Amino acid sequence: MPPHIVVAPMLVALGTILAVLGLRSARAAQRAVSVLGGAVYAAVVGLLTWRVMLSPAEPTPLVYQIGGWPAPFGITLVADALAVFMLVIAAVVTLSAVAFSVRFIDEQNQRVFYHPLFHCLLLGVTGAFLTGDLFNLFVWFEVMLMASYVFVAFYGEAPHTAAAFRYLVLNVIGSAVMLLAIGGLYATTGTLNMADMSRRLAAPAAYGVDVAPVVGLSALLFVTFALKAGLVPFQFWVPAAYRSAPLPIAAMLAGVTKKVGVYAVVRLYFVVFAGASLPTEFGPISGNSPLAFLAPVLFAMGAASIVVGGFGAIGQSRLDGVFAYSSVGQVGFIVLPVSFAAAAQSASFRRLALAAALVYALHHALTKSLLFLSTAAVRGAAGTTNISRLGGLAAFSPALGGVFLIGCVSIIGVPPLTGFFGKFLVFETAAARYAAAPGLVPATAIATLLAGALFTLLYASRAWVRGFWGEQTEAVATATLDRGQLSILAALALVVLAVGVGFDPVYEFAEAAAEAALDRSAYVDAVAPRGGGGQ
Amino acid sequence: MSLALATVVGGLFALGTFLLLRRDLVRVVWGVAVLSQAANVYLISMGGVAEGSFTQVPILATHGGEVPETADPVVQALVLTAIVISLGTTALALVLSYRAYEENETVDVQRWR
């Protein structure tokens, strides 16, 4: 199979955009094509995964140099285990969200621009995961953001417009900062190709690169990624944007676009900047690469996210508000192990910590999509997501109750669901860190994680008990549930269950992805940038 | 040259930030536009203006006359992309602010419902 398959997921998304645009007068066909596009996307991602991970002819990162221009002169697409892992997350969430949208969004809205924009969002995400070039990362971010701006403003009333405007202004500032960082990195290292940059930073003398500015510039980049991931103190746009967007899109935003920020941090800091050597002794920061600077910052932001997200979620009166705040807390759970990986001395611990973060990212994407889509089903049935106006939903529809319960139980972290393994690995990482070097930082980490787990238990059980048990309220008694929506939810719940039950291969996949993020030389060799003097 | 560029970039960023902090929605959109352009000017300046000769640029070698200096063409290509993106974003911001005006009957951010 030629390396051209790397570009296939993007082409599928692009083709679907064009097809659904063309079919906007044939509504049924448009919807069918949109769902079909999601399914083909998943199939292509599956094929790519098979080729990168399991292919009998030695599994290696796949690289496609667009137009035959060799790196670093052309645009490079790279599918290694890490990118493929993220693509699989995107594919699962996309397929369920697009199928759900067909049954959930009202017909007029679907007809005009919902489906083209949905696949545009997917195209941006896919490009960001696959690109091997810093400037293209910026471009794909913008493609993704453009679609998400419109989705946040989708319903077009005062709160939605306000949320979209704030979201837009904030992200324009983020993009300007990202552009500054990229320009600075280009001026400093003389390249935009990630593999080439990694190679040059690892041997600065040979290429005449000054490493010192890279730390500051990478910090600027980090701000943008933290903004996309919604980490504290950049979380304030998250709740309003998630509550304004249509609920299937909220599932996409929480499940997929948030992960783009996390992915970019892992990719750039562990693959591109990790090779740079810069001895530092500055307060608690010590080490010899930009990673040493990243670790404490990431730790503080992750811990703060867990606390802020937890508190916020408990105080919410609507189901979608609870899960929007919950996303802020959950991304903290993903980022804490990344900070351990950044501070780690041993390679094996670094891999364990990154694998824990990736497993948690997978868990959060699946579970949070399930919860957002269940909330959508509740809104579709009862017309409200206000917890005080819901009640007795479990008796009204045991199937919906069961699906929602699986989501709640998974996000709390009860075996054998995916959430259990996510939480278990994160705690194991923190405990291993404590065992290796007992001190204030790992103790704080464990305390924060425990508090976060407690918060999750509180808000998930509150949503379940108040919304699904007890007397049926008026809204629930007159509700009608869509069977199509329910069957999609059931399928997604089965995935959450299956990933937990058959966890071994999933963990191996996550470990391979973590390995790919740590093996800089494999990445550089695969892309094989040429020229530029030195080695 | 670098001092002038640095002053321009700094001034644009200051102006953009100032406008972003206004209560008037239209000024905020102006701030968005100015800020994106400031980043573009910065990006252009990162390309540097290096000593070179016109013989390196094919079209100048056959059609042009004496050209004393050349700049990095890559950043110019990048800035073209960035300009298009900021154009799109600014247009969307304008549309959104009009919609917000329709909904709230004011462009004052603090009087939004």
Side-chain angles (χ1 to χ4, degrees):
Chain A
M1 205 181 302
H4 301 78
I5 187 174
V6 176
V7 80
M10 285 154 80
L11 288 182
V12 169
L14 188 63
T16 317
I17 294 175
L18 297 176
V20 290
L21 267 179
L23 285 170
R24 67 185 182 283
S25 46
R27 299 185 194 182
Q30 185 196 33
R31 273 176 261 162
V33 166
S34 184
V35 176
L36 185 71
V40 173
Y41 180 85
V44 168
V45 166
L47 197 64
L48 193 60
T49 310
W50 177 82
R51 179 67 179 75
V52 172
M53 299 298 300
L54 304 165
S55 161
E58 198 184 342
T60 48
L62 275 182
V63 177
Y64 175 40
Q65 317 277 11
I66 292 178
W69 287 84
F73 305 111
I75 294 169
T76 312
L77 297 180
V78 190
D80 64 350
L82 178 62
V84 165
F85 188 85
M86 305 311 282
L87 281 178
V88 169
I89 294 180
V92 176
V93 177
T94 299
L95 190 55
S96 40
V98 76
F100 197 91
S101 309
V102 167
R103 307 288 306 187
F104 179 70
I105 307 291
D106 55 277
E107 282 202 9
Q108 272 305 321
N109 281 334
Q110 282 193 50
R111 197 171 73 97
V112 188
F113 59 86
Y114 185 89
H115 289 292
L117 273 174
F118 186 97
H119 291 278
C120 188
L121 185 68
L122 183 62
L123 177 66
V125 167
T126 314
F129 287 148
L130 285 175
T131 183
D133 173 305
L134 214 49
F135 190 77
N136 277 284
L137 188 67
F138 165 77
V139 173
W140 291 120
F141 266 26
E142 292 301 315
V143 171
M144 173 181 100
L145 286 172
M146 275 286 182
S148 63
Y149 297 148
V150 184
F151 276 131
V152 174
F154 190 76
Y155 291 119
E157 285 164 22
H160 311 123
T161 336
F165 198 82
R166 292 191 183 108
Y167 179 54
L168 182 139
V169 169
L170 208 61
N171 275 300
V172 169
I173 300 172
S175 302
V177 169
M178 187 179 181
L179 214 50
L180 289 190
I182 290 173
L185 281 170
Y186 179 63
T188 315
T189 62
T191 183
L192 287 165
N193 189 287
M194 291 189 206
D196 197 29
M197 196 176 282
S198 174
R199 185 181 65 145
R200 281 162 178 255
L201 286 174
Y207 298 100
V209 174
D210 185 9
V211 176
V214 171
V215 178
L217 292 166
S218 66
L220 273 185
L221 266 186
F222 175 70
V223 169
T224 315
F225 299 151
L227 181 68
K228 307 282 185 269
L231 279 170
V232 171
F234 305 110
Q235 92 293 354
F236 43 87
W237 61 269
V238 172
Y242 284 23
R243 274 180 308 207
S244 301
L247 281 161
I249 298 300
M252 282 293 279
L253 291 177
V256 182
T257 62
K258 240 177 196 219
K259 305 299 178 298
V260 176
V262 175
Y263 164 83
V265 167
V266 171
R267 172 66 85 205
L268 286 179
Y269 275 86
F270 287 87
V271 178
V272 179
F273 300 135
S277 175
L278 194 78
T280 21
E281 284 299 336
F282 177 71
I285 301 166
S286 67
N288 55 4
S289 85
L291 279 177
F293 288 92
L294 178 70
V297 179
L298 212 50
F299 179 82
M301 290 169 99
S305 299
I306 292 176
V307 174
V308 170
F311 268 117
I314 288 175
Q316 288 299 304
S317 60
R318 282 164 49 184
L319 280 180
D320 43 352
V322 170
F323 297 130
Y325 269 101
S326 149
S327 291
V328 176
Q330 298 291 312
V331 89
F333 273 91
I334 303 173
V335 158
L336 267 192
V338 177
S339 86
F340 291 147
Q345 302 299 327
S346 77
S348 65
F349 178 67
R350 196 168 263 193
R351 189 170 63 227
L352 171 73
L354 266 191
L358 290 171
V359 167
Y360 207 96
L362 172 72
H363 145 63
H364 178 241
L366 294 178
T367 308
K368 194 48 69 62
S369 314
L370 179 62
L371 286 171
F372 267 123
L373 294 180
S374 312
T375 308
V378 170
R379 177 185 284 170
T384 177
T385 56
N386 199 323
I387 298 176
S388 61
R389 291 184 56 205
L390 296 171
L393 272 168
F396 160 72
S397 164
L400 181 62
V403 166
F404 194 81
L405 184 64
I406 288 181
C408 285
V409 164
S410 176
I411 208 155
I412 291 169
V414 174
L417 298 155
T418 45
F420 167 71
F421 293 101
K423 279 233 168 51
F424 175 76
L425 284 168
V426 172
F427 273 104
E428 192 190 0
T429 315
R433 174 83 194 275
Y434 188 79
L440 193 59
V441 170
T444 317
I446 293 176
T448 317
L449 289 173
L450 279 174
L454 192 67
F455 281 133
T456 320
L457 185 65
L458 283 175
Y459 64 69
S461 51
R462 174 169 159 267
W464 165 252
V465 170
R466 300 270 293 277
F468 282 73
W469 278 0
E471 289 285 303
Q472 282 196 0
T473 57
E474 198 185 343
V476 175
T478 56
T480 46
L481 189 64
D482 184 299
R483 292 203 172 279
Q485 292 181 5
L486 197 58
S487 54
I488 294 160
L489 287 177
L492 193 57
L494 273 182
V495 173
V496 170
L497 200 63
V499 170
V501 171
F503 185 66
D504 256 6
V506 177
Y507 184 69
E508 277 169 30
F509 191 10
E511 220 174 14
E515 183 63 47
L518 295 174
D519 196 350
R520 288 191 319 107
S521 57
Y523 185 81
V524 175
D525 288 346
V527 178
R530 290 199 280 184
Q535 289 152 333
Chain B
M1 186 68 178
S2 344
L3 185 67
L5 274 174
T7 317
V8 168
V9 172
L12 282 176
F13 265 104
L15 181 65
T17 313
F18 174 75
L19 288 170
L20 274 179
L21 297 174
R22 299 289 87 191
R23 285 168 62 175
D24 185 334
L25 210 53
V26 181
R27 300 224 168 115
V28 175
V29 178
W30 271 110
V32 166
V34 171
L35 205 68
S36 332
Q37 299 314 323
N40 291 341
V41 175
Y42 169 84
L43 204 58
I44 278 278
S45 70
M46 281 300 104
V49 181
E51 289 290 330
S53 101
F54 64 91
T55 49
Q56 288 167 354
V57 184
I59 189 138
L60 294 181
T62 52
H63 294 86
E66 289 287 318
V67 183
E69 290 180 322
T70 54
D72 186 348
V74 173
V75 281
Q76 303 187 7
L78 301 187
V79 166
L80 268 181
T81 317
I83 286 173
V84 173
I85 290 172
S86 58
L87 168 79
T89 322
T90 313
L92 187 63
L94 276 173
V95 173
L96 269 180
S97 50
Y98 180 65
R99 180 72 199 153
Y101 170 71
E102 277 188 336
E103 283 293 333
N104 298 306
E105 289 170 354
T106 171
V107 286
D108 187 339
V109 182
Q110 290 190 345
R111 283 165 56 204
W112 270 358
R113 278 174 287 154

